[in-house]
Amino acid sequence: MIEFIDVEHEYRTAGGSVPALRGVSTTLSPGELVTVLGPNGSGKSTLARLANGLLHPSGGRVVVDAIDSTDAARVWEVRSRVGLVFQNPDNQIVATTVEEDVAFGPENLGVDRESMHERVHDALATVGLSGLEQREPHTLSGGQKQRLAIAGALALAPAYLVLDEPTAMLDLQGRADVIDVLGRLRDAGTGIMHITHHLADAAAADRVLVLVGGSVVYDGVPTTLFADAQLMQQCGLTMPPVGRLAEELRAAGVDVPADALTAESVVTAL
Amino acid sequence: MSLALSSVRYTYAAGTAFATDALAGIDLAFEPGELALVLGATGSGKSTLLRVAAGLLTPLSGSVRIDGRSVDGPLAVVEPGVGLVFQSPEMQLFAETVEADVRFGPLNQGLTEDEAHHRATRALEAVGLGAGEFGSRSPFTLSGGEARRAAIAGVLAMDPGYLLLDEPTAGLDVEGREAVREIVAASRRRAGVVVVTHDAEEFLGSADRVILLSAGRVTFDGPADELVQSPERFAEAGLKAPEILRAQILARDAGLELTRLSLDPADAGLLIATARRGAR
Ligand SMILES: Nc1ncnc2c1ncn2[C@@H]1O[C@H](COP(=O)(O)OP(=O)(O)O)[C@@H](O)[C@H]1O
Ligand SMILES: Nc1ncnc2c1ncn2[C@@H]1O[C@H](COP(=O)(O)OP(=O)(O)O)[C@@H](O)[C@H]1O
Ligand SMILES: [Mg+2]
Ligand SMILES: [Mg+2]
């Protein structure tokens, strides 16, 4: 389990310090899919970077499977348990071909050649980049780079996967595919933290964590959040059009559940 | 008067083993005052299309003409030219202050300091970043949504006749997306606006025209409502239709007789409720 215990984080800048997280306590368990929502600047990326020890909290503790993230002797253990997909995929590119880029992580973990090839192949197939193995990563389109970043994290097969807005540049089908992959990984026992601006992504989650101004304003099941208009507003969230269609149908007496944010779930209720 | 692409082809790494045909014969004309959406799957050539239209890439064959003039080389300095806001443009904010960043484009166009300052002030107001409050801030202290708006202001300050935006709402929160929609609505009065986006639902309601791109070709070019009423066009272009349309398509598949499809939740709700009464 990843435990965030009363976590505070401040960035030091020339102009003073910027508080990014204020007293955040939450957890991520193996086999759990947690969606993180919140406005720009609410601390989501900071939370992600704290999860794998890339940043250390200015107050409180982050503990990964009983290892304190600040334990200098075990930093690589923390990093290898918690895979991180960055918000900007350009920050993640390390190699000169797509294939090498995906292999980079597992290679560092000492994975042998045989299983390496398989891992890289599988990861690229999962994200739909097969055929582009020899391309230079910087020549990929924005969405393709995002898929590459996800493949890199998948190839590591980490116990926990933290993804920072991994679908911002993907089309609807690409987004649905990623959500699918995350669901399968969750079912296979990976603990997943998915940061997103798309409310609909949260419908598939076990839990939703909402940050506003560095504080947790909601941590619970999606349905309770979606059904509470006042809380939604407090969280700076709005229903996507299909959710508003569901509301219209509810008002007309159709029994549509609060977490119906896909066409399928709305129509099933009809 | 238009920004016209005729038989445009573009191939990356032409003549090498990695040659990628990104645009495979594009004929499109964008008109002033028009809001056109470009939708397409990842890798379909959307960003390449905008880069070619803005003169940043030279087509392998075919031509790009702006208001009848043939174009070679970057258009950024031509007036009224074509302004392109890149994907993730906030990565390109570089100056010490927001105002200096926005002033850079007009200065580059040869305007005087005074004129450039005036343009920058106006552009910052237009994106809702008051020059007084934000002008003197360092770009690096802006939130994600503010930085995106500052980057758009940098292009607006050059007063382009055609404004091209590459995925302008990606990664923005509710408030930021709303702000970008307002900028787009306001800009189309002064310029032709082309928006590449995956957030079709955010823009379809206000677009004059939608273009679907698939593997470097245009597979649909018509009014937004025509596309809404024939949503199979999305699938043809390898795209998933917006969720609210898919709900109505599935309802139809399940036997409900919807007279038409709608992007508006209240309207769609009414259509479904009416069809259900009819079915009983
Ligand atoms: N490297 C940094 N230096 C200074 N302030 C930062 C830095 N990174 C983030 N911040 C600030 O911390 C806050 C939270 O940022 P972040 O975690 O990136 O939010 P989110 O991912 O939710 O948009 C914001 O106010 C942001 O401006
Ligand atoms: N610099 C480049 N070198 C080689 N191929 C490229 C380069 N830039 C883009 N491509 C390829 O061209 C195609 C279209 O890319 P792009 O226009 O960025 O797509 P989109 O914006 O629709 O996602 C993709 O297959 C992409 O991999
Ligand atoms: Mg972030
Ligand atoms: Mg693109």
Side-chain angles (χ1 to χ4, degrees), chain A residues 39-40 88 134-135 141-144 165 168-173 197-198 236 241 244-245 248 254 262-264 267 270, chain B residues 18 20 41-43 87 91 167 170-174 198-199 201 240-241 243-244 246-247 250 265-266 268-269 276:
Chain A
N40 290 120
N88 182 344
Q134 302 308 322
R135 277 276 286 274
S141 82
Q144 287 167 336
E165 301 189 31
M169 285 182 268
L170 298 187
D171 56 76
L172 292 183
Q173 188 58 55
H197 283 299
H198 297 283
R244 280 185 277 140
L245 169 61
E248 295 287 338
V254 185
T262 61
E264 283 77 8
V267 173
L270 293 170
Chain B
F18 300 122
T20 308
T42 301
Q87 217 164 311
M91 307 291 290
E167 301 192 26
L172 296 189
D173 58 16
V174 170
H198 294 306
D199 291 329
E201 286 180 333
K240 212 173 148 200
E243 216 53 25
I244 188 161
R246 287 211 314 118
L250 291 176
R276 288 182 94 218

Side-chain angles (χ1 to χ4, degrees), chain B residues 41-53:
Chain B
T42 301
S44 58
K46 306 179 297 297
S47 295
T48 307
L49 175 71
L50 295 193
R51 287 194 287 256
V52 167

Side-chain angles (χ1 to χ4, degrees), chain A residues 40-41 44-46 87 164-165 195:
Chain A
N40 290 120
K44 303 181 298 297
S45 295
T46 304
Q87 183 164 349
D164 196 354
E165 301 189 31
I195 299 171

Side-chain angles (χ1 to χ4, degrees), chain B residues 2-280:
Chain B
S2 62
L3 171 59
L5 286 72
S6 320
S7 312
V8 166
R9 295 182 162 269
Y10 192 84
T11 303
Y12 289 101
T16 76
F18 300 122
T20 308
D21 292 324
L23 299 178
I26 300 278
D27 288 288
L28 283 174
F30 300 108
E31 311 296 333
E34 178 187 69
L35 171 56
L37 288 192
V38 177
L39 310 178
T42 301
S44 58
K46 306 179 297 297
S47 295
T48 307
L49 175 71
L50 295 193
R51 287 194 287 256
V52 167
L56 298 176
L57 295 176
T58 307
L60 198 68
S61 64
S63 70
V64 180
R65 288 174 168 268
I66 173 168
D67 300 340
R69 279 174 290 126
S70 173
V71 159
D72 35 24
L75 279 176
V77 293
V78 181
E79 204 168 347
V82 180
L84 170 59
V85 180
F86 292 94
Q87 217 164 311
S88 315
E90 53 277 11
M91 307 291 290
Q92 286 154 14
L93 298 174
F94 58 90
E96 298 250 316
T97 69
V98 170
E99 203 267 343
D101 212 292
V102 176
R103 200 163 12 113
F104 180 81
L107 277 180
N108 226 17
Q109 284 177 316
L111 298 191
T112 66
E113 284 282 349
D114 268 4
E115 288 165 337
H117 175 73
H118 180 71
R119 288 272 193 95
T121 306
R122 211 178 53 193
L124 284 168
E125 301 289 346
V127 299
L129 300 177
E133 185 187 346
F134 288 95
S136 56
R137 296 252 303 259
S138 156
F140 304 105
T141 67
L142 300 179
S143 77
E146 289 162 357
R148 183 74 52 89
R149 280 185 270 166
I152 296 175
V155 172
L156 286 179
M158 293 186 274
D159 213 1
Y162 299 89
L163 175 64
L164 317 181
L165 299 149
D166 199 352
E167 301 192 26
T169 55
L172 296 189
D173 58 16
V174 170
E175 208 183 293
R177 293 203 295 267
E178 178 61 37
V180 169
R181 273 204 308 277
E182 279 170 18
I183 295 169
V184 166
S187 303
R188 75 198 283 194
R189 276 182 241 127
R190 309 172 50 90
V193 182
V194 182
V195 177
V196 162
T197 186
H198 294 306
D199 291 329
E201 286 180 333
E202 304 259 359
F203 292 99
L204 269 175
S206 54
D208 298 301
R209 177 177 166 205
V210 187
I211 292 148
L212 298 189
L213 208 59
S214 173
R217 286 175 208 281
V218 174
T219 62
F220 177 90
D221 181 0
D225 193 57
E226 190 181 322
L227 177 63
V228 168
Q229 302 311 327
S230 38
E232 64 281 1
R233 298 297 209 142
F234 284 100
E236 278 170 29
L239 288 172
K240 212 173 148 200
E243 216 53 25
I244 188 161
L245 289 185
R246 287 211 314 118
Q248 295 163 78
I249 298 165
L250 291 176
R252 265 187 182 164
D253 292 348
L256 284 184
E257 292 191 15
L258 304 186
T259 49
R260 59 192 168 82
L261 305 181
S262 176
L263 289 168
D264 178 63
D267 191 24
L270 207 60
L271 286 165
I272 292 178
T274 310
R276 288 182 94 218
R277 272 197 298 279
R280 278 204 209 105

Side-chain angles (χ1 to χ4, degrees), chain A residues 32-35 179-180 182-183 186-187 194 199-208 222 226 259 261-262:
Chain A
E32 188 182 37
L33 173 53
V34 176
T35 299
I179 299 297
D180 246 31
L182 298 187
R186 180 257 315 263
D187 295 344
H194 176 204
L199 190 72
D201 294 349
D206 299 305
R207 252 172 54 222
V208 183
F226 295 168
D259 61 351
L261 291 183
T262 61

Side-chain angles (χ1 to χ4, degrees), chain A residues 223-234:
Chain A
T223 38
T224 311
L225 170 66
F226 295 168
D228 187 337
Q230 208 183 339
L231 182 59
M232 286 279 289
Q233 197 179 15
Q234 203 186 330

